[in-house]
Amino acid sequence: MNFCTSRHHGAMRTLLAAGLIGLSALSAAATAAAPAKGGTAVVATIGEPPTLDPMASTADLVGILTQHIFETLYTFDAKWNTTPLLAEKLPDISGDGLTYTIALRQGITFHDGSAMDSADVVASLKRWTETASRGKQAAKLIAGIEAPDAHTVRIVLKQPYAPLTALLAMNNSAAVVMPQEKLAVPLKEFVGTGPYQLKARVPDQYIQLVRFDGYQPRAGEPDGYGGARKQYLDEIRFAPVSNANTRVESAAAGQYDYVDALPVESIDKLKNGRSDPMLLKPFGWPRLVLNTRQGIMSSLPARQAVQRALNEEDMLYAAFGNKDFYALNADLYPKGFPWATELGGKVYNQGDVEGAKKLLDEAGIQDRTLRILTSQQYEFHYKMALVAAEYLKAAGFKVDMQVVDWATLTQRRQDPALWDIFITHSPFLPEPALIDFPSKDAPGWWDTPRRNQVLDAFNQARTPEERTKRWADVQQAVFDEVPFIKVGDFNSLAAKSPALQGVQPAPWPYFWNAWKTAK
């Protein structure tokens, strides 16, 4: 049952052909200029990453940076199928769905010069199950991880778990492979197998990656995040630029080779500047995550009051300003994805502050202080938070807005005593289990009998048709129990220099396969 390689191909192809996902050109082959070796690409990011340990964080920023240093057994191709990376091929899965046998590529070298073998992979996967939220999610279902020989790894499950291969492919909270001698917690040495290696990190200034000359790319051509990863650039330098307006101005002035996470309303300014705008449509979905473990949001009536009070249309308009950049949609996937449903309309975009106040009164909730944790580094998060706060105040909540940098937010959200709601976003992912909310260990800590029932049924479903049906049950549980609230669908905007070639719109931009030309 190679679920991730075969399920819903027809639907995904239709989606890609329609241009909805914006990734049909993820291959680096579609440029006129011949690739040239050498040069440095300077990339402006939304800020300083909280860590360079890709297992320790689900933050997109961490995944964007560390995917150049570390690699996983699998990744995703340009059509969002799982494809082997450090594995030789897709796993052989036993008929009962319980045993995954993974053949490893040979001749792979770590940045410290040591050779990768199955002992490194087993040790890395065990650390993943103990450290990463996605790994902890999988660990509950794993009976054992072993190495039959130096080039084979075997994972034995307690019950069928269809998302496993996709979980092993993700680049944040990631099952990266590191030398077993380096697997400290917290990580002290950042040694991977990737095309670039860490040379220097100067906090709040830059993270410098340089070409790893011992890298062994896969054969063939680039294919999304999969296929050959070609090392044209000598160096990639990631520079934190936390202010969104500063990122816009620097992109318009052509100060960086690539600028990530720009407000979509700045697209006209970019068109008249020195960088080329790059729009990914649709990119993903912002959401409010509610703290179900502790504080006011641990009360279901209080969560339902928040859900009833919000006007998501006003939040989206404040954040993006133009309907070309967002869409009203309560369901967790847009139309065109096999996971799309039409279940969320009854609880979405209500703006019913009187009904929300009635829920709070009926529940007898006295202390109505609500701490909203957000960051201006993602400017649209902050704008949505401001609108949400006004509706929640009108519903009788006392809103305490806590605006911090993104690294601080990702740290604070780990402590349930420090917040009630935080705002985040996610790209649309090919496998719903990759979204961080299914994990009980992810901030928000949704853990109820209904949650367990519907997610277990979804994860154990063996056919695409049954999984689609069970996913609808998961979404209905989300709408009823309100562990988080989706705001809508949105597009993302980045910018690149005309001199930087081989880079296409992607949810986690990557710079292997990229090269510089004369401006």
Side-chain angles (χ1 to χ4, degrees):
M1 181 189 67
N2 284 339
F3 158 75
C4 292
T5 64
S6 60
R7 68 162 175 81
H8 304 312
H9 279 191
M12 287 304 289
R13 278 196 291 268
T14 300
L15 177 65
L16 287 156
L20 292 174
I21 207 168
L23 290 177
S24 56
L26 264 181
S27 170
T31 64
K37 202 164 185 177
T40 298
V42 183
V43 178
T45 67
I46 63 111
E48 186 73 14
T51 178
L52 290 181
D53 180 351
M55 292 189 188
S57 177
T58 58
D60 284 340
L61 176 58
V62 175
I64 289 168
L65 271 66
T66 60
Q67 66 186 343
H68 298 81
I69 304 170
F70 301 99
E71 293 181 312
T72 46
L73 292 169
Y74 303 100
T75 188
F76 298 104
D77 67 17
K79 293 183 178 179
W80 283 120
N81 303 313
T82 49
T83 189
L85 185 55
L86 290 176
E88 182 63 36
K89 58 180 182 177
L90 290 167
D92 293 323
I93 305 175
S94 60
D96 60 7
L98 296 179
T99 303
Y100 286 59
T101 302
I102 301 169
L104 305 176
R105 291 172 61 201
Q106 300 184 35
I108 301 298
T109 304
F110 290 110
H111 298 157
D112 64 359
S114 62
M116 183 193 82
D117 64 16
S118 58
D120 300 302
V121 177
V122 169
S124 296
L125 291 178
K126 287 182 176 177
R127 184 184 189 270
W128 178 66
T129 62
E130 296 164 356
T131 303
S133 61
R134 300 187 204 280
K136 291 176 182 178
Q137 174 186 341
K140 298 175 178 67
L141 305 174
I142 294 175
I145 304 172
E146 58 191 19
D149 59 51
H151 306 298
T152 308
V153 170
R154 184 179 295 134
I155 301 174
V156 180
L157 301 178
K158 299 174 183 176
Q159 62 190 45
Y161 186 57
L164 180 61
T165 311
L167 279 175
L168 294 174
M170 255 319 254
N171 72 355
N172 59 56
S173 190
V176 296
V177 178
M178 297 179 273
Q180 59 179 326
E181 297 83 6
K182 310 290 187 185
L183 295 174
V185 178
L187 204 60
K188 295 182 175 64
E189 297 182 64
F190 302 92
V191 178
T193 62
Y196 290 86
Q197 59 186 346
L198 180 66
K199 182 175 182 182
R201 179 180 186 180
V202 181
D204 298 318
Q205 294 188 43
Y206 63 84
I207 292 170
Q208 180 186 18
L209 308 184
V210 296
R211 183 192 294 114
F212 171 44
D213 290 331
Y215 183 65
Q216 294 294 325
R218 295 193 70 89
E221 291 302 313
D223 185 6
Y225 295 92
R229 294 183 168 186
K230 308 206 175 191
Q231 304 166 279
Y232 299 120
L233 295 168
D234 293 335
E235 180 180 324
I236 308 167
R237 200 173 274 233
F238 294 94
V241 182
S242 59
N243 184 276
N245 290 330
T246 304
R247 289 199 300 279
V248 172
E249 295 298 331
S250 63
Q255 293 177 359
Y256 296 97
D257 295 295
Y258 187 95
V259 183
D260 196 25
L262 295 170
V264 288
E265 64 269 21
S266 65
I267 192 166
D268 289 336
K269 184 167 189 173
L270 293 177
K271 288 177 180 176
N272 297 317
R274 296 184 178 181
S275 295
D276 299 328
M278 303 178 71
L279 191 67
L280 183 58
K281 179 180 181 179
F283 167 75
W285 52 293
R287 64 188 181 275
L288 281 66
V289 180
L290 281 55
N291 181 354
T292 67
R293 176 177 286 181
Q294 188 172 333
I296 188 172
M297 289 293 95
S298 63
S299 161
L300 177 57
R303 298 200 301 275
Q304 290 172 331
V306 171
Q307 182 184 57
R308 183 170 292 187
L310 293 179
N311 182 309
E312 282 85 357
E313 186 169 14
D314 284 356
M315 294 169 68
L316 289 165
Y317 184 78
F320 303 112
N322 186 320
K323 289 187 177 181
D324 291 340
F325 301 133
Y326 68 85
L328 281 171
N329 179 21
D331 296 280
L332 302 191
Y333 281 89
K335 290 181 179 180
F337 277 86
W339 308 108
T341 59
E342 296 183 0
L343 297 171
K346 292 181 180 179
V347 297
Y348 183 66
N349 199 38
Q350 297 177 83
D352 180 7
V353 296
E354 292 303 322
K357 191 178 296 183
K358 184 179 179 182
L359 280 172
L360 293 173
D361 290 341
E362 289 174 348
I365 295 171
Q366 300 301 315
D367 184 358
R368 301 183 182 183
T369 302
L370 192 60
R371 297 162 297 172
I372 299 178
L373 189 59
T374 190
S375 172
Q376 288 181 288
Q377 284 167 261
Y378 289 111
E379 190 177 35
F380 67 98
H381 290 190
Y382 177 66
K383 291 178 176 178
M384 288 188 296
L386 293 176
V387 174
E390 293 307 310
Y391 277 95
L392 293 170
K393 289 174 186 175
F397 289 99
K398 180 182 177 182
V399 176
D400 175 12
M401 186 83 78
Q402 300 183 3
V403 183
V404 298
D405 63 85
W406 185 246
T408 299
L409 186 149
T410 62
Q411 292 167 350
R412 279 195 194 175
R413 70 186 182 186
Q414 303 295 330
D415 185 344
L418 298 180
W419 60 277
D420 300 302
I421 294 174
F422 75 85
I423 300 181
T424 187
H425 70 270
S426 172
F428 292 116
L429 301 170
E431 160 58 56
L434 295 174
I435 308 169
D436 56 11
F437 81 82
S439 171
K440 298 176 187 179
D441 300 302
W445 304 284
W446 183 34
D447 185 3
T448 66
R450 184 171 176 192
R451 174 253 179 228
N452 297 337
Q453 177 188 6
V454 295
L455 275 167
D456 285 348
F458 171 66
N459 288 328
Q460 293 181 50
R462 301 294 297 279
T463 66
E465 294 75 19
E466 186 182 359
R467 295 197 85 231
T468 301
K469 180 181 178 181
R470 297 300 184 189
W471 177 243
D473 296 337
V474 173
Q475 289 193 85
Q476 191 59 58
V478 169
F479 297 135
D480 293 344
E481 296 196 342
V482 205
F484 59 85
I485 297 169
K486 180 183 174 183
V487 184
D489 301 340
F490 78 106
N491 308 329
S492 74
L493 180 66
K496 75 171 190 68
S497 162
L500 184 64
Q501 301 292 311
V503 178
Q504 300 293 334
W508 309 286
Y510 56 90
F511 303 96
W512 60 82
N513 301 335
W515 68 92
K516 298 286 289 289
T517 63
K519 293 186 180 181

